[in-house]
Amino acid sequence: MPTEKEARRQKKFFGGISLTPHKNTAELQTVVMPSPQTVTVLMKQGQNALCAPCVKQGDAVFVGTKIGDNEELACPPVYSSVSGTVAGISLYTLPSGETVDAVIIESDGQMTPEQALAPVTVESAEDLIKAVRDAGLDVCLPATEGIDTLIVNAADGEPYVTSAYRRCIENAEEIVEGTLLIKKILGIKNALICVENDKQRVIDLLGRVITDKCDADNSIGLVRLGTKYPQTAEKLLIFASTGKKIPAGKDLTCVGCVCLNVTSVLELYKYVTTGMPTVSVTVTVDGNAVVTPKNVIVPIGTAIADVIEFCGGYKASVRKIICGGPMTGTAVPSDSAPILKQYNAVLAFDRKQTEKHVEADCIRCGRCASSCPMGLRPFEIEAALKKGKVKKLSALYTEYCIECGCCSYSCPSKRRLVEMMRMAKAELKSGREE
Amino acid sequence: MENLNVSPAPHLTYEDTSKSIVSDVIIALIPLAVAGCLTFGWYSALVIATCVLTCVVLEFAWCKLMKMKSTIGDLSAVLTGLLLALSLPPKLPLWIAAIGGAVAIVVFKLLLGKIGFNIVNAVIAARIVLSVVFKNAMHTWTAPAGGMGKYVSSAASGEIDILAGATPLSETALEGGYYNSYKSLFMGQVPGCIGETFSLLIIIGFLYLLLRRVITPVIPVSMVGTVALLSFVFGQNPVYMMLSGGLMLAAVFIATDYKTRPIGALGQLIFGIGCGAITFVIRRFTPLPEGVAIAILVMNLLVPLINQITLPKPFGLQRAKRDEKA
C-alpha cells in the first residue's frame, strides 16, 4: 500500500506524559441529537471571533441562516443551528468574565434548512479563504506563499475524547476528499494526515480510501503519531510529521506548514458541497457522572444540561463539567452554559474525581521540568515570578510555554504551575512593553 | 445544576504526592533500619527512635512557634531523622543523637531555607557537625553481633566488642581482616554505621525507588561508578571501595535528595561524578574521615551553579537564533 510506505516514523519529543486513555466511547456509533426546545447561540464562538447579531426578536430563522456577522476577515459569521423564531437577544457572561451578545432561538423542532443555501464553487485560493470564513470556521488559511505542507490532525490527544476518531471512521471519504480539495486549490505540495499509532482501524481505513482516491502524483501521506500527551499540540504535531521546529512567537507558516483538524476539513468540505455552514459539533459526552457516554452531534447553542439529558442524565451528584478535554478544557460554572463551536467533548465528573488538592511546598523533584515538552523548568519560573524577577523569566525562556498542562499534572505537590506559567508570560509581556 | 467546581485546566493530576514520595523513601529504608538493629543490637533502635522523635517534635514546635501550619504531616522530618540515625554509629550516646537531630532539623532544614530550598543536605551537614564536635563518640564502632564477632574479639584482645579508630575504613582495620570477605561486606557483617553496612539491602532499596520512579539512576550510578573507576586507576580494590563505608547509602538515599541535587540528567551526572571524585580523593589522599559526607556537602553548594549551566535549550530555540542572524 503506497500510504504504508509513506507513513513516516514520527519524531519523538522530549518530556510529555502518558495518560490513561479512557476511550470508552470509541466504538459507539455517533448519534444525532434531536432539536432542543431553545438554543443560545453566542456571538463569540472561537478564540477571536466577536460578531454583532443581524437578526431581531420575532424573526423566523432556519438551519444555516446567518444570525451574526462582522467586518473582520479573521472572525467568521455565526449561523442559526435550528429552525424556529428568534426569542430574544440577551447578554451572556463567559467563564472568562467577558460579556457577549447571545441570540436565543426557540426551535420549531423541524430542523428545516435555509432555502438559499447552495453548493459553492471554489476555483482559486481567494475563493477558498472566503469559503473557510463563510463556513463559519475560524481557522486562518495563509495566503499560500511558501507553504509546502498541509497537516490534518486526526488525533484525539486528550483522555476520554473520541470525537475525531469517530469522524475518521464515519467520514473517511469526506476527509480525504476535503484534504485533496484544499491541497489542490492552494497548490500545496505535501498533505499529511496524522493519526495516533494505537488507532489501527483509522490507519487502515484512511489508507484504503487514500489508495482509492489518489494517484501517485497527487497523494496524501499518513503519519503515525505516538500517544504521549501533548502530541497533538501544533508545534509537536509539525515536529512529528515534518521534523521542523517552530521558535517561540512565530506562527506555523514560518516553517511552511498549515495545520487543520479533521473537523475543520469536514465542515469546509460540507460547506463547499452543500452550502451548509457549521451549525453543529460532534462532542464526546463522557465522565463518571454520565449514565450513557456517547458521541453526539449537537446543534451549536444547545444547553449542556440538554445534551446530558439526551445521554441518560446524571448518574451521581455532578461536581464538575468540563467542556473540551480534561487537560486543556474549560470547567463551566453551570450546566445551563451553551455548547460552543470549538468544543469536542463535554465531560461530567462526580465529587470523587474532582477533589481539590491542597497545594504543598515545592520539593524540587524536577518532574515539571522532565515532563515539559518545551524543555522549560516551571518550578524555577514560578519562583522567579513570585520574586518579581522579570529578567530571570526571560532567561528561563518563559515565552516558550505552550500551556499544555504537563507540569501541573505531574507535580506531586499539586502546585498550579500552568496558572503560574500564564501569569509569568503575561508579566513578561507587560514588562517588555514598558 | 449550579455552583459547579470551576478550577482551571488541567483537570487531571498524577497520583503521586509529596507525601507518597517521602513514604516510598522511608519504606526503602526500613529494611536497613531493621537489619542494623539485628546486626548491632537493639540499642541501635533507641538511636533511631531518638533521632526521629527529635526531628518530628522540633519541627512541630518550630511550626507552632512561627505560627505556621504544621508541616510534620508530609513525613519529611521522619525521613530526616531516620536517615540521620542510619548514618550514625550503633552505640552513640542518645543525647548526641538528639543533638544531631536538632542540628539537622533546626539549623539545616528550617533556618537555612524551609522545605525545598535547603542549601545543603540536612543529614550530611548534621553528621559532619557531630563528627567534628563529638570526635570520639562518632568514631567508635561496634562489631556486628553475628559471625564477625570473633574477628573483633581477637583483634581487640578480649571480650571488648568496641573498636576505636578514625573510621573502620582505616588501614589497620583492613589488615585486621574484616574486609577479607566480599560476602561480609555485602551482607552487612562489618563494623560501621547503623544503616550503611548492608549493601544488599541498599541495592534492593535503590531498585525499589527506581521502580516507584522516585529517583533516576543517574546520581547513584555515576557517584559509585566514579569511585570504582578511580579506585581501579589508582590501584585500589574497586569492589572494596564501593561496598565499604557510607558510599552506597549516601549515593542512593542522600545524594539523590531532591532539594540538594541538580535538576535534569546532565546536571545530575556532573553532580554524581563530582561527589564520587571528591569522595575518592579524600579517602585516598587525605587522612580525613567523612569523605562521602564532605563530597556531598561540597557538591550541594555547587548545585545552583550546575543548575544554571545545564539549563536546557527550549524546543525550537536554535532556529530562532539562525533567523536572527539572517
Side-chain angles (χ1 to χ4, degrees):
Chain A
M1 219 154 50
T3 49
E4 202 64 30
K5 237 184 283 168
E6 280 174 51
R8 300 169 189 214
R9 282 190 62 206
Q10 64 122 5
K11 295 210 167 42
K12 292 210 173 78
F13 60 93
F14 171 86
I17 49 182
S18 46
L19 298 166
T20 321
H22 291 294
K23 304 282 189 192
N24 312 320
T25 50
E27 298 311 323
L28 302 175
Q29 184 75 28
T30 310
V31 287
V32 180
M33 183 179 163
S35 166
Q37 302 239 309
T38 57
V39 291
T40 309
V41 185
L42 301 193
M43 289 296 111
K44 182 183 165 80
Q45 293 283 342
Q47 282 295 312
N48 322 306
L50 182 58
C51 296
C54 58
V55 287
K56 57 186 186 304
Q57 194 173 353
D59 282 2
V61 291
F62 301 94
V63 179
T65 308
K66 192 187 280 188
I67 56 172
D69 203 352
N70 64 22
E71 304 285 300
E72 283 172 60
L73 182 70
C75 304
V78 180
Y79 299 90
S80 170
S81 58
V82 292
S83 59
T85 37
V86 176
I89 294 165
S90 64
L91 288 175
Y92 182 86
T93 309
L94 292 168
S96 64
E98 197 181 347
T99 308
V100 296
D101 283 328
V103 175
I104 299 163
I105 301 165
E106 243 167 61
S107 171
D108 59 9
Q110 304 294 313
M111 297 298 266
T112 322
E114 168 76 42
Q115 291 298 308
L117 298 180
V120 182
T121 29
V122 176
E123 277 163 355
S124 67
E126 287 74 40
D127 286 354
L128 190 73
I129 289 167
K130 185 173 180 301
V132 167
R133 184 180 189 277
D134 289 344
L137 299 169
D138 59 354
V139 290
C140 200
L141 281 184
T144 62
E145 287 298 308
I147 301 296
D148 59 6
T149 311
L150 168 68
I151 293 169
V152 178
N153 174 13
D156 291 306
E158 300 196 32
Y160 297 98
V161 185
T162 56
S163 47
Y165 176 78
R166 285 316 304 176
R167 303 210 84 167
C168 289
I169 298 282
E170 289 160 20
N171 306 80
E173 295 202 355
E174 288 95 324
I175 292 172
V176 172
E177 297 254 355
T179 310
L180 284 175
L181 176 83
I182 300 168
K183 184 180 174 217
K184 193 180 103 198
I185 301 290
L186 292 183
I188 297 173
K189 211 165 77 216
N190 307 309
L192 300 166
I193 300 181
C194 303
V195 191
E196 290 119 314
N197 55 17
D198 60 347
K199 290 180 179 169
Q200 196 54 45
R201 201 175 153 199
V202 171
I203 294 171
D204 290 346
L205 182 63
L206 284 177
R208 254 199 326 274
V209 176
I210 291 170
T211 326
D212 287 351
K213 304 246 175 209
C214 305
D215 48 52
D217 308 327
N218 185 28
S219 189
I220 298 174
L222 269 180
V223 179
R224 289 158 182 266
L225 301 173
T227 48
K228 200 163 63 163
Y229 179 83
Q231 179 62 75
T232 48
E234 269 180 349
K235 284 185 175 187
L236 302 175
L237 199 62
I238 287 175
F239 182 60
S241 43
T242 67
K244 288 172 181 163
K245 294 182 179 181
I246 302 162
K250 297 279 175 68
D251 64 6
L252 315 181
T253 51
C254 81
V255 291
C257 292
V258 187
C259 211
L260 293 172
N261 58 26
V262 274
T263 313
S264 304
V265 173
L266 274 175
E267 290 298 341
L268 181 63
Y269 184 73
K270 191 182 78 186
Y271 176 70
V272 171
T273 50
T274 67
M276 178 61 77
T278 312
V279 291
S280 60
V281 288
T282 307
V283 292
T284 303
V285 183
D286 202 344
N288 64 359
V290 176
V291 174
T292 45
K294 55 178 99 167
N295 276 293
V296 191
I297 296 177
V298 181
I300 289 172
T302 309
I304 289 169
D306 291 341
V307 180
I308 291 187
E309 192 58 38
F310 179 68
C311 294
Y314 297 114
K315 199 191 279 174
S317 75
V318 59
R319 285 311 305 153
K320 191 184 246 182
I321 295 178
I322 302 163
C323 292
M327 290 304 286
T328 55
T330 319
V332 290
S334 150
D335 67 359
S336 61
I339 296 284
L340 301 184
K341 190 180 66 197
Q342 67 267 32
Y343 291 169
N344 58 0
V346 173
L347 308 173
F349 293 102
D350 66 11
R351 187 178 296 276
K352 220 163 66 187
Q353 287 274 317
T354 56
E355 265 177 286
K356 270 194 177 168
H357 296 280
V358 184
E359 248 182 300
D361 286 328
C362 173
I363 56 168
R364 296 175 68 91
C365 63
R367 289 184 189 191
C368 51
S370 59
S371 69
C372 178
M374 294 290 120
L376 310 179
R377 285 184 184 157
F379 73 99
E380 283 195 7
I381 292 173
E382 187 196 20
L385 174 72
K386 289 197 166 155
K387 287 179 194 155
K389 294 181 177 168
V390 179
K391 262 193 188 151
K392 184 94 188 281
L393 289 180
S394 168
L396 291 167
Y397 307 109
T398 307
E399 73 273 19
Y400 277 78
C401 172
I402 56 168
E403 297 176 23
C404 61
C406 289
C407 46
S408 287
Y409 173 83
S410 54
C411 180
S413 291
K414 312 296 168 200
R415 300 188 70 74
R416 317 221 195 292
L417 290 165
V418 195
E419 285 158 68
M420 292 299 150
M421 296 297 283
R422 277 186 209 122
M423 281 164 71
K425 280 162 83 177
E427 186 82 5
L428 197 58
K429 219 174 162 188
S430 66
R432 289 247 169 90
E433 277 160 12
E434 271 164 23
Chain B
M1 202 71 68
E2 301 280 329
N3 295 322
L4 298 167
N5 183 341
V6 285
S7 62
H11 306 283
L12 297 175
T13 56
Y14 193 54
E15 60 201 5
D16 279 8
T17 60
S18 310
K19 193 175 166 180
S20 77
I21 290 175
V22 177
S23 311
D24 273 337
V25 182
I26 294 175
I27 290 169
L29 284 172
I30 284 173
L32 278 173
V34 173
C37 296
L38 291 176
T39 316
F40 297 113
W42 290 103
Y43 182 80
S44 307
L46 288 178
V47 177
I48 295 173
T50 310
C51 284
V52 172
L53 268 179
T54 318
C55 288
V56 174
V57 169
L58 284 178
E59 180 159 319
F60 183 75
W62 175 275
C63 292
K64 281 276 163 281
L65 202 69
M66 291 297 173
K67 300 202 165 61
M68 281 160 34
K69 205 166 157 266
S70 168
T71 50
I72 55 169
D74 64 15
L75 297 182
S76 72
V78 177
L79 178 59
T80 307
L82 185 59
L83 259 179
L84 177 67
L86 292 184
S87 52
L88 293 177
K91 291 277 157 71
L92 191 73
L94 294 183
W95 62 275
I96 297 183
I99 290 177
V103 169
I105 281 292
V106 177
V107 179
F108 291 108
K109 187 182 168 191
L110 297 171
L111 280 176
L112 291 178
K114 53 185 180 121
I115 184 169
F117 295 95
N118 302 74
I119 304 165
V120 293
N121 185 292
V123 173
I124 284 293
R127 188 185 145 145
I128 291 177
V129 168
L130 288 187
S131 94
V132 170
V133 179
F134 306 103
K135 198 157 183 288
N136 286 333
M138 281 296 284
H139 298 121
T140 301
W141 306 102
T142 312
M148 292 303 291
K150 58 178 184 286
Y151 292 101
V152 181
S153 350
S154 63
S157 68
E159 52 278 15
I160 316 157
D161 64 345
I162 287 181
L163 263 168
T167 151
L169 277 183
S170 59
E171 298 288 321
T172 39
L174 189 59
E175 284 158 14
Y178 300 111
Y179 300 103
N180 287 345
S181 153
Y182 290 144
K183 193 186 158 207
S184 55
L185 272 169
F186 211 61
M187 302 302 287
Q189 296 303 315
V190 290
C193 296
I194 298 171
E196 73 181 20
T197 59
F198 214 132
S199 301
L200 179 66
L201 287 183
I202 297 175
I203 291 169
I204 290 172
F206 173 58
L207 294 177
Y208 175 75
L209 293 183
L210 282 186
L211 197 72
R212 300 281 300 149
R213 300 194 180 185
V214 172
I215 61 172
T216 59
V218 181
I219 292 176
V221 170
S222 60
M223 182 171 172
V224 177
T226 305
V227 170
L229 189 72
L230 288 174
S231 311
F232 183 74
V233 170
F234 286 91
Q236 310 254 310
N237 180 345
V239 181
Y240 156 68
M241 276 299 238
M242 270 159 60
L243 296 181
S244 57
L247 178 62
M248 297 278 267
L249 181 76
V252 173
F253 293 100
I254 299 177
T256 54
D257 170 36
Y258 285 157
K259 298 150 231 167
T260 51
R261 60 107 172 86
I263 302 294
L266 178 62
Q268 292 176 3
L269 187 69
I270 297 172
F271 180 82
I273 292 174
C275 285
I278 298 173
T279 304
F280 180 79
V281 168
I282 293 175
R283 278 187 178 183
R284 178 72 180 82
F285 299 110
T286 73
L288 295 172
E290 310 290 346
V292 178
I294 293 171
I296 292 178
L297 193 77
V298 170
M299 292 310 289
N300 280 171
L301 295 172
L302 293 177
V303 164
L305 182 68
I306 296 174
N307 271 341
Q308 207 168 355
I309 60 175
T310 58
L311 185 72
K313 284 201 171 65
F315 184 89
L317 178 71
Q318 285 190 331
R319 182 167 276 272
K321 276 189 176 160
R322 229 181 289 149
D323 283 359
E324 272 164 23
K325 272 181 201 161

